[in-house]
Amino acid sequence: MKIKGVTYDIGTPTVDGSVTRPDLAAATIERELTAIAEELHCTAVRITGDDVPGLRLAARTAIGLGLAVWLSPMAPNADEATTLATIAAAAEVAGELHRAGGDVTLVVGCELTLFMAGLVPGADIPTRLAALADPLGWPPEFFAAGPPPVRFNALLATAVATARQHFTGPVAYAAGLWEDVDWTPFDLVAVDAYRDAGNTDTLRTTLEELHRHGKPVVAAEFGCATFTGAEAHGSAAWTLVDRSDGTRRPRTGLVRDEEAQARELTSLLDLFTAAGLAGAFVFTYVTPSYPTTDDPAADLDTVGYGLVRSWPDGRTTSKAAFTAVAHAYAATRTD
């Protein structure tokens, strides 16, 4: 794989109304992206967030460190008009960076059937997640304007057309494995390739079948949380948070296990290589919204996907997964 990447969040609204990285300082961005380039041995970084100036700052910093940038604006719960406006603004940034010589790919959306309002019933992400699991329960009005997959792909085509008004470089979309995407307008096929108990035996075949589109295939995200058995939960480990008394904590019974996370990430990298993927992005570098602590009952990093532990005082410390991914990326770099 030529693209050896990690996702890097500069601040995104969460399901509880907060922001993942409020007041992220330029010095922190510089320090963390330097670690991604020099210690993690990445060749690329997928920068996510809802603040376009912040995306520009992080992308410029990453390019200056020699990283290819996948610019990935996020607008959780936005309607179609706001989503397209966000894409246009990010495309202007991508165009500016591309004209200056930066290696930039624009990601026009991520799992929009889940994160955008209007494609699937539900006013918030948890409700839409439940609706995706029960499509027979959708109200009739969601079919009045045509089949939902047709409307979904029409939106993606509009998103690409909007992006190309400002940006002439490669355009991608980070699809959920459940989404039936028409890849015709895109330059790459990119999917969020999490493994869980339901697709352990089929994920490689699913990815290999994507080569039929005749375009490079990339795992736009893959990851694993940090507890024993987390590999069975794939992308859903974040739901294992107890909020019953207003204080977030990992659900009772979860046992912190950094080696389990490291094994799953390296196993997936091997699978992606065997499946002929052009690259992959680990989710994710750091998750301050899931802070760690020495108290196992309160250690939210247990259900977090970060390669580093994020302490309440602002410190970060590398996890076993960081070392494992760094070793895998360093071993296969040719530059």
Side-chain angles (χ1 to χ4, degrees):
M1 296 191 299
K2 293 180 64 177
I3 302 169
K4 308 176 196 309
V6 66
T7 64
Y8 182 72
D9 175 38
I10 57 100
T12 305
T14 68
V15 294
D16 63 7
S18 62
V19 177
T20 55
R21 306 199 74 181
D23 306 317
L24 180 61
T28 301
I29 293 173
E30 176 85 29
R31 172 172 50 81
E32 292 177 340
L33 287 172
T34 298
I36 287 169
E38 298 181 0
E39 299 175 30
L40 201 55
H41 305 294
C42 286
T43 63
V45 60
R46 179 178 164 205
I47 302 174
T48 66
D50 73 333
D51 176 57
V52 174
L55 290 172
R56 176 189 284 109
L57 173 61
R60 283 177 173 169
T61 303
I63 290 168
L65 291 165
L67 293 164
V69 168
W70 280 43
L71 199 66
S72 188
M74 302 287 286
N77 291 316
D79 59 15
E80 180 173 328
T82 302
T83 298
L84 292 172
T86 302
I87 291 167
E92 291 185 17
V93 172
E96 166 195 316
L97 297 170
H98 185 64
R99 288 188 296 273
D103 185 347
V104 183
T105 296
L106 179 65
V107 184
V108 296
C110 174
E111 300 180 6
L112 289 178
T113 54
L114 178 60
F115 287 104
M116 195 186 98
L119 291 171
V120 170
D124 54 37
I125 292 170
T127 306
R128 291 193 290 275
L129 190 61
L132 283 166
D134 182 27
L136 295 179
W138 294 15
E141 57 265 27
F142 261 84
F143 301 89
V150 174
R151 292 191 289 111
F152 167 61
N153 279 298
L155 170 68
L156 292 183
T158 301
V160 175
T162 299
R164 296 207 190 280
Q165 294 176 18
H166 309 282
F167 176 61
T168 59
V171 177
Y173 171 70
L177 290 174
W178 65 90
E179 294 179 333
D180 186 9
V181 176
D182 176 3
W183 293 105
T184 304
F186 295 98
D187 299 290
L188 309 102
V189 174
V191 295
D192 293 347
Y194 290 90
R195 184 164 60 183
D196 56 37
N199 71 356
T200 298
D201 297 328
T202 60
L203 180 60
R204 176 172 171 176
T205 299
T206 298
L207 296 173
E208 288 175 337
E209 289 175 349
L210 294 172
H211 290 297
R212 72 184 186 274
H213 298 288
K215 300 177 180 183
V217 179
V218 176
E221 285 184 23
F222 74 101
C224 183
T226 318
F227 60 90
T228 302
E231 66 277 7
H233 295 268
S235 64
W238 66 273
T239 65
L240 302 179
V241 177
D242 182 356
R243 296 178 170 86
S244 58
D245 64 356
T247 300
R248 296 187 307 147
R249 57 176 60 87
R251 288 188 187 175
T252 302
L254 299 182
V255 177
R256 182 178 183 86
D257 189 344
E258 292 193 11
E259 293 300 330
Q261 181 190 31
R263 284 194 304 270
E264 178 67 357
L265 294 185
T266 52
S267 175
L268 283 168
L269 286 171
D270 289 341
L271 184 151
F272 298 154
T273 300
L277 268 59
F281 292 86
V282 181
F283 182 83
T284 182
Y285 179 73
V286 63
T287 54
S289 56
Y290 286 76
T292 194
T293 174
D294 291 323
D295 177 6
D299 183 11
L300 279 170
D301 184 70
T302 300
V303 291
Y305 292 79
L307 295 178
V308 300
R309 300 177 76 170
S310 185
W311 298 86
D313 62 5
R315 288 181 298 122
T316 57
T317 52
S318 297
K319 293 156 67 171
F322 183 103
T323 302
V325 171
H327 177 76
Y329 281 175
T332 55
R333 282 190 68 153
T334 58
D335 56 353

